[in-house]
Amino acid sequence: MSTDQKELLRQRVVKAACEYYQHAHVHHKEFEPGDRIPYAGRIFDDAEISALIDSSLEFWLTSGRYAEKFEKEFADYIGVQHCSLTNSGSSANLLAFMALTSPKLGERRIHRGDEVITVAAGFPTTVAPIIQYGAVPVFVDVCLPTYNIDVTRLDAALSDKTKAVMVAHTLGNPFDITAVKAFCDKHNLWLIEDNCDALGSRYLFRGQWCYTGTIGHIGTSSFYPPHHMTMGEGGAVYTNDPLIKRLIESFRDWGRDCWCPSGRDNTCSNRFGQQFGELPFGYDHKYVYSHFGYNLKVTDMQAAIGCAQLQKLPGFVEARKRNWQMLRDGLADLQDQLILPEAAENSDPSWFGFLLTVRRESGFTRDRLVAQLELHGIQTRMLFAGNLTKHPCFDEMRKSGEGYRVADDLSVTDQIMRDTFWVGVYPGMTEPMIEHMISVMRQQLR
């Protein structure tokens, strides 16, 4: 079969898949009260189908041309030098942290027993890599109504063992990067921004608008379906430091020293001419390991979907902002019963959800309100762990009194655990859906 014939056949296959999409996935049913309103969902069209089928026809099942394309375009979009794709946001956090344990960083590397400042009011995989490696998370309380780290507690959390700060921008709302970055710079600490819930959020840093995730030493993103854009599974780690980029990709790719992409050999032009450790001189560089790593690569089919999604990201971000503002305006007069979310100072959030904390004096409870919303088909979520230190995974450490440290107290974190929940603002929500959510909440609280 000639090249032209193959290309025509490829076009026919892709066209057929797009036609299937029109029949199987395009629905025009108008929302009616009682219909389920999910907190999040994938938004896609025939562009994602086309890219997915196109990549699958090559049957290059690991990272390939679409992964390279996405890494470049994503880095350009958020304004960083280097982006490395991985198979999930949780893996992105793992790689971000583990890169900082590399012996190649010399005195700045994180050792077992070193401390990392973080928060307990969030998702566990911001903290899990710290514990899994054998470092010590130091938990700092958060603030309402931003739900982010209380920067006034940073000094109290500091010790001579502190090596890093690793915190998330909560549900798209940037933490006080100015204060956290100044603290890290003053004490020569690493800063990892967990940006998994905040892709597209911006922060006014030193007079310049920057995307969150790009101000610290390393940023991470998740492309799980509920997030701002999706690959199904998938994540990214990004940095402006070429050494850190090399370390991230070494840990991602089995711990190897070689940087050749999959399917390519000898990009260093010295594959068989180097000395490594006690290996024989000239040992194949593709099989030299400088770290104890993993295999956390993304597939090219996932990356192909991501390339199509990235083109839609600006529209997704604007829809999230619009939906969040509708909810904020519609509930504005209920602040005697609810603590409503507020954007952090000097920020332009790309919201992941709409956080609500039921006031203790309201005569209502979070659990009662959540039950009523769910009964009316409105999906809700807690602020992830609430207080991570209260979960069974901390039982042994809590009993032994070792493995983590709490700076001062976590009273606001505990309040969030008891009284906070959130509803969605994802781009698939329509104005009637949001109006229904507002109506149900008002009925329950009046």
Side-chain angles (χ1 to χ4, degrees):
M1 182 180 290
S2 70
T3 301
D4 288 345
Q5 288 174 318
K6 288 180 181 178
E7 181 57 29
L8 285 172
L9 187 56
R10 177 190 288 264
Q11 291 175 12
R12 286 171 54 193
V13 171
V14 171
K15 182 179 178 182
C18 291
E19 290 174 355
Y20 175 84
Y21 158 80
Q22 293 292 334
H23 289 286
H25 294 289
V26 178
H27 307 290
H28 299 289
K29 182 182 180 297
E30 296 293 329
F31 171 77
E32 296 178 4
D35 290 347
R36 186 73 166 150
I37 303 178
Y39 81 96
R42 63 220 169 126
I43 305 296
F44 67 101
D45 58 26
D46 55 1
E48 284 83 355
I49 298 291
S50 177
L52 175 61
I53 298 301
D54 182 63
S55 66
S56 70
L57 291 175
E58 294 178 7
F59 215 67
W60 186 262
L61 301 181
T62 186
S63 297
R65 67 182 177 95
Y66 274 107
E68 290 182 16
K69 174 180 169 66
F70 181 89
E71 287 174 339
K72 180 182 185 306
E73 292 180 351
F74 185 83
D76 289 344
Y77 181 92
I78 63 172
V80 293
Q81 293 296 312
H82 309 291
C83 168
S84 305
L85 272 174
T86 185
N87 61 356
S88 73
S90 298
S91 293
N93 282 343
L94 174 62
L95 291 171
F97 179 80
M98 289 303 297
L100 301 182
T101 71
S102 171
K104 294 180 183 290
L105 294 174
E107 293 183 358
R108 291 204 67 190
R109 71 176 289 198
I110 298 174
H111 292 84
R112 290 173 178 82
D114 285 340
E115 295 184 345
V116 180
I117 297 172
T118 188
V119 302
F123 201 74
T125 57
T126 311
V127 176
I130 304 168
I131 295 171
Q132 289 162 347
Y133 174 70
V136 178
V138 178
F139 293 108
V140 173
D141 210 1
V142 297
C143 293
L144 296 175
T146 65
Y147 298 87
N148 279 312
I149 186 169
D150 183 347
V151 296
T152 67
R153 309 283 188 101
L154 287 171
D155 287 331
L158 185 70
S159 79
D160 58 2
K161 294 183 178 180
T162 307
K163 283 290 186 72
V165 175
M166 185 171 180
V167 285
H169 301 287
T170 304
L171 291 200
N173 201 8
F175 58 76
D176 186 345
I177 307 177
T178 297
V180 174
K181 185 68 165 59
F183 175 80
C184 290
D185 290 347
K186 179 180 179 180
H187 300 288
N188 198 30
L189 308 177
W190 298 108
L191 174 57
I192 300 175
E193 294 179 68
D194 181 339
N195 201 43
C196 290
D197 292 344
L199 182 58
S201 292
R202 300 191 306 155
Y203 185 87
L204 187 61
F205 183 69
R206 297 174 183 170
Q208 182 177 353
W209 283 104
C210 303
Y211 282 112
T212 54
T214 68
I215 299 168
H217 296 92
I218 309 176
T220 62
S221 282
S222 171
F223 305 127
Y224 190 64
H227 285 271
H228 290 73
M229 54 165 284
T230 188
M231 296 180 180
E233 301 287 352
V237 195
Y238 30 100
T239 182
N240 286 310
D241 188 320
L243 173 58
I244 291 177
K245 184 252 190 188
R246 285 281 308 279
L247 299 177
I248 289 164
E249 293 185 355
S250 175
F251 278 101
R252 182 192 66 182
D253 302 353
W254 308 284
R256 67 180 184 172
D257 197 77
C258 175
W259 59 83
C260 293
S262 297
R264 300 183 204 170
D265 293 343
N266 206 27
T267 56
C268 67
S269 301
N270 200 19
R271 179 179 170 190
F272 298 105
Q274 302 178 71
Q275 179 70 57
F276 297 100
E278 298 183 7
L279 292 168
F281 177 81
Y283 198 83
D284 187 350
H285 190 213
K286 286 188 73 71
Y287 292 97
V288 173
Y289 302 94
S290 52
H291 302 99
F292 294 103
Y294 316 91
N295 179 7
L296 302 175
K297 296 189 301 299
V298 74
T299 69
D300 223 38
M301 291 178 287
Q302 290 170 272
I305 297 170
C307 287
Q309 284 271 293
L310 188 57
Q311 302 304 309
K312 298 180 171 69
L313 183 56
F316 290 165
V317 170
E318 291 307 311
R320 286 178 174 275
K321 292 179 182 180
R322 182 176 62 249
N323 293 343
W324 186 93
Q325 193 61 54
M326 286 179 62
L327 281 167
R328 188 65 170 73
D329 293 343
L331 300 173
D333 62 338
L334 298 179
Q335 295 193 63
D336 58 330
Q337 296 171 286
L338 300 170
I339 299 174
L340 300 181
E342 292 182 12
E345 187 177 358
N346 297 320
S347 76
D348 177 25
S350 171
W351 297 101
F352 186 50
F354 190 89
L355 277 158
L356 292 158
T357 297
V358 179
R359 295 186 185 275
R360 303 296 282 180
E361 63 271 19
S362 69
F364 225 81
T365 66
R366 187 267 312 275
D367 293 347
R368 181 179 163 196
L369 181 55
V370 162
Q372 288 300 312
L373 292 173
E374 294 280 352
L375 188 64
H376 284 81
I378 300 167
Q379 196 172 31
T380 64
R381 286 292 185 267
M382 302 294 107
L383 184 50
F384 307 125
N387 182 344
L388 184 58
T389 69
K390 304 290 189 183
H391 286 253
C393 57
F394 271 78
D395 282 352
E396 291 185 11
M397 287 186 284
R398 197 163 48 243
K399 290 173 184 176
S400 68
E402 298 178 346
Y404 73 101
R405 184 163 69 83
V406 174
D408 202 357
D409 67 76
L410 301 178
S411 56
V412 178
T413 300
D414 285 338
Q415 181 183 1
I416 287 169
M417 177 180 63
R418 293 189 311 263
D419 302 329
T420 298
F421 72 100
W422 59 278
V423 294
V425 295
Y426 83 107
M429 284 187 168
T430 62
E431 190 170 331
M433 290 179 181
I434 295 172
E435 289 174 346
H436 180 66
M437 292 165 67
I438 293 169
S439 174
V440 171
M441 279 193 247
R442 295 183 69 84
Q443 289 172 14
Q444 299 304 317
L445 290 167
R446 67 186 178 190

